Amino acid sequence: MSQSEVAEQVGVCQSTYFAWKNGRSSPNAKYYVKLATAFGVDL
């Protein structure tokens, strides 16, 4: 899955997801749930 696909599933722009991935910022709790769902993992 590409970064843009993950960002779209989670509901953020690609630059926001890129910042999360590179440790420049962190998602809030609502996005942790959406990320876990996108990747098919449990929190």
Side-chain angles (χ1 to χ4, degrees), residues 10 12 15-33 35:
V10 173
V12 297
S15 62
T16 298
Y17 177 70
F18 186 75
W20 293 346
K21 187 174 180 215
N22 290 306
R24 285 185 267 163
S25 67
S26 298
N28 64 30
K30 153 178 128 173
Y31 290 113
Y32 280 121
V33 173
L35 286 165

Side-chain angles (χ1 to χ4, degrees), residues 1-12 17-18 20-21 27 30-43:
M1 188 176 334
S2 72
Q3 288 183 1
S4 60
E5 290 171 327
V6 174
E8 185 177 327
Q9 283 191 354
V10 173
V12 297
Y17 177 70
F18 186 75
W20 293 346
K21 187 174 180 215
K30 153 178 128 173
Y31 290 113
Y32 280 121
V33 173
K34 289 183 177 192
L35 286 165
T37 301
F39 288 107
V41 298
D42 293 327
L43 287 177

